[in-house]
Amino acid sequence: MKPFLPGLLRSNSPASIFENRFIIAATVTLACVLELLDTSIVNVAVPHMMGSLGATLDEITWVSIGYVVANVIVLPISGFLANQFGRRNYLALSILIFTIASWACGNADSLGELVFWRIVQGLGGGGLIATAQATLYEVFPAKEMATAMSIFGMGIMFGPSLGPTVGGWITDTWSWPWIFYINLPLGAAALLLVLVFVPDSAHRKTVPAVDYLGLILLAVGVGALQLMLERGEKLEWFESTEIIAYTIASILALIAFVIRELEYEHPIVNLRIMQDSQFSAGLLFTFFLGAALFSTVFLFPVYAQTLIGFDAFQTGMIILPSALAAAFAMPIAAKLLARGVPAWGLIATGAAIFLYAMWGHHLFSTESGAADFFWPLILRGLGLGLVFMPLNNLTLARIQPQEIPNASGLYNLTRQLGGSVGIALSATLLVKFEDIKRSALVEHLAHDNAAMAERLNVFTHLFQQKGEAAALATQKAYAVINGQVAKQAMMLAFSDLFMLFGIAIVLMLPLLFWMRTPPRMAQAGDVAH
């Protein structure tokens, strides 16, 4: 397939590509930020959408679910699509579909129309991250790969954190359709830059026969898995026939998909690259990294808005420095790698900082404020920033250049699924931990407990002073104490969950023993462009 608007395209010569490499990095990172921003930007506008479209809360969740499911279906096949259509064409087409669908989402008059266009938007944006990463691996010389991945990593870390802040401000200032209209000028700019600067892959290799059966099995397997994770907690998991159906469909389709891809001559996703132990260990590590990243982004706003009373915009502004810290950490990691600091050392340091940050989160209380949140959130961003980029490079260090698009799709899919599992697990464990903590607290509220009796008397007296009868005053006093117990139980549940994700990342460090091959930019004998 020939490139779109060939008259606009710059020379594809190595010298021209090298000269424009930082413009290319900024271009593909902008496209990634747009895609990731739309993953979280919608959540703060949900109440406005419900009122405008006449939808229930359960119905409106499909606006987010449809987008995410479409994303995860496209992610693993993005390498195949880039090979078939050409990388520049595929990037341009993806951005075009994403931008047109954004306009259609803003103009939607019904819930069904909005959900449909969100799915189209997800299909357009799903391949941007993996294709962008593969582009950078080919465009940048080996000695500058750390710098390229730090630019890319800034977008990956910044996009999800920026969503609630930007979405809250846009929704309050204008109206919910503008959270989609904001994509139009940015999408148009990204499209133009891709057409002008982004080169096609020198390793492009089309396949003579498309693996349609593999594609169908992948779509069913990954789609059903994502639906299970998105709706499981709400439907009480395996007490729901819907969740059981998603689980069975996912397991059967994914087993059949793996068998098909390993046996078929031209697989749509080459799973054979997972025979490389370094790549497989990296996938496992990035699964837990995705869980830690997305779960802590999910948990902190719930804590801040439920127990502290912040609104969405305030919460977003509190989280923003953490994203900035992650962005700041990545170029530092790049410079350290370029100077010979081992990638595994940076990952271990980042994991230790993240654990310390989660200990700071563990110490939060119902009385904590913005000043208490600042340093733990800054350290969280620094820790994840130091882990993200070196892990990315170590994971792909032994993958052949022609397999980078395929490997990038699998890598980013794994991180996305890790995030989905982490969020689903967080939502479920939050309820279970809260019940456990509540039971433990209630044990200390017996009538013969002096502190309990004193507090009950104080509240009863206060209600009596307001004119309540003795019986009603006592009943209201019990209700107040019950509310305080529930609040403290929830706080303790949040504390344990924060600590759990900090420990989980540290427990992944032994995987580094299988990941000792240095990343490409540090390998002796690599030749720059």
Side-chain angles (χ1 to χ4, degrees):
M1 182 182 287
K2 294 183 178 180
F4 300 135
L5 304 177
L8 284 177
L9 300 177
R10 296 284 182 96
S11 169
N12 255 358
S13 68
S16 175
I17 293 171
F18 181 77
E19 179 185 349
N20 296 316
R21 65 196 184 284
F22 287 104
I23 298 176
I24 294 170
T27 298
V28 297
T29 301
L30 171 61
C32 292
V33 169
L34 281 175
E35 194 274 332
L36 289 167
L37 194 66
D38 268 55
T39 304
S40 57
I41 198 172
V42 169
N43 297 338
V44 296
V46 162
H48 301 269
M49 291 180 179
M50 289 169 62
S52 176
L53 300 173
T56 65
L57 180 60
D58 188 53
E59 290 171 337
I60 206 71
T61 56
W62 287 99
V63 174
S64 294
I65 292 173
Y67 181 82
V68 174
V69 170
N71 257 246
V72 298
I73 290 173
V74 173
L75 258 174
I77 62 171
S78 55
F80 166 80
L81 294 173
N83 275 328
Q84 292 301 103
F85 296 106
R87 184 171 61 203
R88 179 197 285 131
N89 284 345
Y90 178 57
L91 267 173
L93 184 61
S94 294
I95 295 170
L96 182 63
I97 291 172
F98 180 88
T99 306
I100 292 174
S102 297
W103 175 83
C105 286
N107 278 279
D109 294 322
S110 66
L111 177 65
E113 188 179 351
L114 179 58
V115 171
F116 171 79
W117 285 111
R118 278 287 281 175
I119 293 172
V120 175
Q121 190 187 39
L123 292 173
L128 291 176
I129 295 176
T131 309
Q133 189 174 19
T135 300
L136 296 179
Y137 263 93
E138 190 170 330
V139 165
F140 276 76
K143 64 181 181 180
E144 293 183 355
M145 193 58 64
T147 302
M149 287 300 109
S150 67
I151 296 171
F152 173 74
M154 289 180 196
I156 297 296
M157 300 291 286
F158 206 64
S161 301
L162 200 61
T165 309
V166 174
W169 181 77
I170 290 175
T171 304
D172 292 340
T173 305
W174 296 308
S175 58
W176 69 262
W178 283 95
I179 64 176
F180 299 110
Y181 293 149
I182 194 69
N183 292 332
L184 302 185
L186 297 175
L191 176 61
L192 181 62
L193 289 168
V194 165
L195 292 172
V196 173
F197 292 105
V198 174
D200 263 325
S201 173
H203 305 288
R204 179 185 175 189
K205 183 180 179 181
T206 59
V207 296
V210 178
D211 182 15
Y212 290 109
L213 177 57
L215 178 60
I216 293 170
L217 290 172
L218 175 67
V220 173
V222 175
L225 175 61
Q226 188 67 41
L227 284 169
M228 181 193 76
L229 295 171
E230 292 281 345
R231 292 181 56 78
E233 197 276 330
K234 183 179 183 62
L235 299 178
E236 298 185 353
W237 293 103
F238 298 107
E239 294 183 15
S240 164
T241 54
E242 180 181 334
I243 297 302
I244 293 172
Y246 289 147
T247 304
I248 294 172
S250 177
I251 291 172
L252 294 178
L254 289 177
I255 290 174
F257 170 74
V258 170
I259 295 171
R260 168 74 174 183
E261 298 309 281
L262 292 177
E263 292 182 348
Y264 192 63
E265 185 179 359
H266 304 292
I268 199 165
V269 179
N270 182 12
L271 299 180
R272 296 181 183 92
I273 60 173
M274 295 180 69
Q275 293 174 345
D276 183 285
S277 60
Q278 178 150 325
F279 181 67
S280 296
L283 289 185
L284 184 57
F285 202 129
T286 201
F287 179 88
F288 281 88
L289 178 65
L293 168 63
F294 288 102
S295 297
T296 50
V297 169
F298 163 76
L299 284 170
F300 181 80
V302 176
Y303 155 70
Q305 293 174 45
T306 304
L307 295 181
I308 308 301
F310 287 179
D311 60 29
F313 182 73
Q314 289 174 314
T315 305
M317 292 304 293
I318 291 292
I319 293 175
L320 195 56
S322 179
L324 293 173
F328 176 74
M330 289 188 190
I332 293 177
K335 288 186 178 297
L336 292 173
L337 283 173
R339 292 182 179 181
V341 176
W344 63 265
L346 288 177
I347 294 172
T349 302
I353 293 173
F354 180 73
L355 177 62
Y356 185 69
M358 289 300 102
W359 172 252
H361 283 58
H362 178 73
L363 298 179
F364 290 162
S365 72
T366 56
E367 303 299 322
S368 297
D372 303 298
F373 302 145
F374 183 77
W375 283 112
L377 286 170
I378 289 289
L379 291 173
R380 171 193 169 275
L382 287 173
L384 289 175
L386 288 176
V387 172
F388 182 90
M389 194 271 292
L391 177 63
N392 181 91
N393 284 281
L394 268 184
T395 303
L396 300 176
R398 299 202 302 215
I399 302 299
Q400 296 301 311
Q402 64 271 20
E403 287 294 345
I404 286 290
N406 179 63
S408 296
L410 284 173
Y411 181 80
N412 286 284
L413 172 67
T414 302
R415 187 180 61 247
Q416 179 70 41
L417 289 177
S420 298
V421 170
I423 291 172
L425 188 64
S426 297
T428 300
L429 289 181
L430 182 62
V431 175
K432 292 189 179 300
F433 283 6
E434 188 179 351
D435 289 341
I436 293 170
K437 299 297 183 182
R438 180 182 174 83
S439 298
L441 290 173
V442 168
E443 290 179 3
H444 299 284
L445 300 183
H447 289 285
D448 57 355
N449 183 297
M452 167 63 183
E454 181 182 354
R455 179 156 295 196
L456 181 63
N457 288 334
V458 168
F459 287 136
T460 301
H461 183 65
L462 286 174
F463 284 118
Q464 285 178 329
Q465 285 183 326
K466 293 180 180 180
E468 300 288 358
L472 186 58
T474 301
Q475 183 179 346
K476 287 189 174 183
Y478 274 116
V480 170
I481 293 173
N482 182 62
Q484 291 181 336
V485 169
K487 190 173 184 179
Q488 293 301 322
M490 181 177 283
M491 181 67 252
L492 292 170
F494 276 115
S495 296
D496 285 357
L497 278 173
F498 285 131
M499 202 63 206
L500 180 65
F501 283 107
I503 293 171
I505 289 295
V506 173
L507 290 177
M508 291 298 103
L509 291 179
L511 290 172
L512 295 176
F513 287 107
W514 284 272
M515 303 177 67
R516 302 306 290 267
T517 299
R520 277 188 167 76
M521 60 280 185
Q523 287 179 10
D526 272 341
V527 180
H529 284 38

